[in-house]
């Protein structure tokens, strides 16, 4: 591993890990109100990825990342669940929940029977689409109630994943899935940025 690759990997890890720790801390201190639907679905997706990691290439190297990707949404979900006081999902959230669960069922079936590299790519695409769908309820929260979240953790996470664009050997669709997720996370911050800028919120409350 050359110095450039090591530097990009380090920056990416610091951004992603830092955003996760920051987000959990903000939820714990009740400074933000994330969507229970989104974080429950992200926990489920991360769990499926974790239990299937042995079938993937480079499993040993990816295990620490998968463990962190699983721990963050689970902790956030548990913290939200303690504070929601029986709040139910909205009709729009239920649509995203249904779509995500259907995608995960298809993912699980294909992951079980996968035999070719082409199917492996389809499983990868389903994972990304499922995660985007899972983020739907959270995006609705950002759009309707900008004061319930903060943009900086989303920007940090998005930039961390987007940095992988500089590490891919060639621009193929499968290789672009992680940077695509990074772009989605950056887009998640747009309604929040609109809110804090429009309302002249002090920068310390962006974090």
């Amino acid at each position: 591993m050359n110095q450039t690759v090591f530097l990009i990997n380090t920056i990416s890890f610091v951004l992603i890990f830092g955003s996760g720790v920051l987000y959990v801390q903000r939820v714990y201190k009740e400074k933000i109100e994330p969507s229970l639907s989104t974080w429950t679905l992200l926990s489920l997706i991360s769990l499926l990825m974790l239990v299937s990691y042995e079938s993937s290439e480079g499993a040993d190297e990816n295990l620490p990342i998968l463990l962190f990707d699983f721990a963050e949404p689970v902790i956030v979900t548990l913290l939200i669940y303690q504070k929601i006081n029986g709040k139910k999902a909205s009709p729009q959230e239920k649509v995203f929940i249904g779509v995500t669960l259907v995608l995960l069922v298809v993912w699980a079936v294909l992951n079980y029977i996968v035999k070719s590299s082409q199917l492996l790519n389809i499983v990868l695409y389903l994972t990304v689409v499922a995660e985007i769908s899972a983020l739907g309820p959270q995006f609705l929260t950002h759009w309707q109630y900008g004061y319930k979240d903060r943009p900086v953790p989303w920007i940090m996470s998005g930039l961390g994943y987007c940095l992988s664009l500089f590490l891919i050997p060639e621009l193929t669709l499968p290789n672009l899935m992680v940077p695509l997720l990074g772009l989605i996370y950056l887009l998640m911050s747009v309604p929040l940025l609109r809110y804090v800028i429009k309302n002249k919120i002090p920068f310390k409350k962006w974090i």
Side-chain angles (χ1 to χ4, degrees):
M1 182 184 296
N2 62 44
Q3 290 184 345
T4 302
V5 172
F6 176 78
L7 179 61
I8 293 174
N9 277 329
T10 301
I11 296 173
S12 177
F13 174 79
V14 169
L15 286 170
I16 294 170
F17 182 80
S19 70
V21 172
L22 182 60
Y23 205 83
V24 168
Q25 190 253 7
R26 290 297 183 256
V27 177
Y28 179 75
K29 291 190 173 182
E30 300 186 10
K31 294 183 181 294
I32 59 175
E33 300 176 42
S35 164
L36 178 63
S37 300
T38 283
W39 290 93
T40 302
L41 291 170
L42 291 178
S43 298
L44 179 57
I45 292 171
S46 299
L47 176 61
L48 289 175
M49 295 295 293
L50 185 61
V51 298
S52 65
Y53 85 96
E54 289 183 349
S55 64
S56 64
E57 185 178 352
D60 293 338
E61 292 81 0
N62 292 331
L63 182 57
I65 298 173
L66 290 172
L67 287 171
F68 174 74
D69 284 345
F70 173 66
E72 181 196 355
V74 169
I75 294 171
V76 171
T77 300
L78 292 174
L79 289 174
I80 300 170
Y81 187 75
Q82 292 179 338
K83 307 174 188 301
I84 59 172
N85 298 321
K87 181 181 177 182
K88 296 182 179 180
S90 67
Q92 296 93 330
E93 287 181 315
K94 290 178 181 178
V95 171
F96 285 112
I97 292 170
V99 170
T100 305
L101 290 177
V102 169
L103 289 168
L104 290 179
V105 169
V106 176
W107 177 92
V109 172
L110 287 178
N111 192 61
Y112 179 75
I113 65 173
V114 64
K115 300 295 181 183
S116 68
S117 58
Q118 185 176 8
L119 273 180
L120 279 173
N121 288 339
I122 293 175
V123 170
L124 173 62
Y125 303 150
L126 281 172
T127 304
V128 173
V129 174
E131 183 156 347
I132 292 173
S133 177
L135 289 168
Q138 186 68 57
F139 184 80
L140 290 176
T141 298
H142 289 182
W143 188 262
Q144 298 171 351
Y145 312 104
Y147 60 89
K148 289 188 175 184
D149 210 334
R150 299 188 177 186
V152 168
W154 293 95
I155 294 171
M156 289 173 60
S157 183
L159 290 175
Y161 285 114
C162 282
L163 282 175
S164 65
L165 182 64
F166 298 100
L167 301 176
I168 58 179
E170 56 181 326
L171 293 177
T172 62
L173 189 55
N175 287 340
L176 290 173
M177 289 297 100
V178 173
L180 173 62
L181 273 180
L183 178 60
I184 296 300
Y185 281 118
L186 289 175
L187 291 175
M188 292 287 292
S189 72
V190 171
L192 300 175
L193 287 170
R194 181 192 63 172
Y195 174 81
V196 295
I197 293 173
K198 180 180 178 181
N199 293 279
K200 300 180 180 179
I201 305 296
F203 181 74
K204 66 179 182 179
K205 293 188 177 181
W206 295 26
I207 302 173

